[in-house]
Every structure is written in C-alpha cells, then in structure tokens.
Amino acid sequence: MPKNDDITSFSKLKEEVNLALPQCIERVLGKVSEYHAKHVDEWSESVGQEVLKKLQEINDRFKYIVSTSIMEKKGAGFHTSSAVYWDTDTDGTVSYRWENKAMICIVHTYGIGI
C-alpha cells in the first residue's frame, strides 16, 4: 500500500478524512454544552484550523479548502450545496455533520491536487 504522501487522488484519502473530521470537531466543540452566538466565529475558526492541520498531516500534496457552518439546534431546516469544476481523478470533497444537544456543525472539506 502506498504511503499517504504518494497518493495523488483525494478519493483515496476519503475514508481517513471521514474518520478525522469528527475528531477535529470534538476537540473544539466536544465540551461545549450551550450555544452562544458570540462564540461561533471563534469556534468556526478553531474547527477549520484543526481540520486543515489534520488534512496536511494526512497528505500535504493537496491544496485544501475547509468550510465550517455552526448553527443553534432549534429545529429549523438547513440546506447546503456546492458546485465544483475540477479534475475528478485528483480532486474531491468530504462533508461531515456533527451535532450535540445545543448545536449542529457541518464541515465541508475540498482537496485539490497540486
């Protein structure tokens, strides 16, 4: 099996990225039991940086984009989508939804081959 540094297709990393995302989110939001709007910017930035750091540890041969959405859990609907134009042989995306009793966090990661 090739080392992660030898992998040039993001789709081959998806399983590992999917396992890493909840761990990154938990490090930031795991002990947060109440939603506070004034902390959302800080939480979003921290989750994004944790995810970027982990993605680079997994494989630094991609450019990465991380989008984080955090919202209070009040029963409202939330829909998101994205459109991309890229090389499907090398580029890819992984999305993860995390939640607790107070909030929902959705992280979209995009890996673009260099």
Side-chain angles (χ1 to χ4, degrees):
M1 182 170 168
K3 297 186 315 187
N4 279 346
D5 288 344
D6 297 333
I7 295 174
T8 57
S9 175
F10 190 72
S11 65
K12 293 179 181 174
L13 300 174
K14 281 187 172 186
E15 187 174 324
E16 190 171 355
V17 171
N18 223 5
L19 293 173
L21 290 179
Q23 296 168 1
C24 294
I25 297 167
E26 277 290 327
R27 276 196 286 277
V28 176
L29 298 177
K31 293 185 173 146
V32 177
S33 60
E34 291 184 30
Y35 179 88
H36 296 286
K38 65 183 179 184
H39 295 300
V40 172
D41 285 343
E42 176 188 334
W43 292 336
S44 293
E45 178 68 21
S46 296
V47 168
Q49 290 303 317
E50 283 287 327
V51 171
L52 275 176
K53 186 174 17 169
K54 185 61 178 178
L55 290 171
Q56 289 170 332
E57 287 173 13
I58 292 171
N59 188 313
D60 64 357
R61 298 190 62 176
F62 292 88
K63 291 181 182 180
Y64 293 108
I65 300 166
V66 177
S67 172
T68 306
S69 301
I70 298 174
M71 65 181 281
E72 186 172 13
K73 196 171 186 181
K74 289 238 177 193
F78 180 77
H79 302 275
T80 183
S81 68
S82 61
V84 296
Y85 178 75
W86 59 23
D87 184 345
T88 56
D89 291 335
T90 58
D91 308 335
T93 184
V94 174
S95 297
Y96 190 85
R97 176 188 166 118
W98 176 94
E99 61 184 271
N100 65 12
K101 291 183 179 186
M103 69 188 84
I104 298 168
C105 176
I106 299 173
V107 175
H108 299 286
T109 60
Y110 303 88
I112 292 56
I114 299 177

